[in-house]
Amino acid sequence: MSYLIKDTTKEEREQIVKESLGNIEANCDGCMAGLAEMYQDYIDGKKELRDINMEFNARYVKDNDMETRGSSCVM
């Protein structure tokens, strides 16, 4: 099964996000609503899941880490 925007309908993307996050209606601690909102661009067909996840993960990489990682690449 492909999760790419070009291979899915909006309804399918919405279902993919719901299934991936679990019960997003039970957002008693407030964080689940934020996660659901984070994937709205995917649901709307604006950004791929991969791009959203990469942007989210990039927030946790320090500038120092990026320099070190870049220098170890053999390419």
Side-chain angles (χ1 to χ4, degrees), residues 24-35:
I24 62 174
E25 302 302 323
N27 54 3
C28 56
D29 63 0
C31 70
M32 290 304 285
L35 281 175

Side-chain angles (χ1 to χ4, degrees), residues 14-56:
E14 192 171 48
Q15 188 63 31
I16 290 166
V17 170
K18 282 182 181 180
E19 289 175 3
S20 297
L21 295 178
N23 186 6
I24 62 174
E25 302 302 323
N27 54 3
C28 56
D29 63 0
C31 70
M32 290 304 285
L35 281 175
E37 290 173 13
M38 183 173 88
Y39 290 105
Q40 192 61 49
D41 279 347
Y42 170 67
I43 293 170
D44 293 338
K46 297 176 183 177
K47 288 185 182 179
E48 295 290 353
L49 282 175
R50 179 178 190 262
D51 298 328
I52 293 170
N53 289 331
M54 286 175 55
E55 289 171 6
F56 179 79

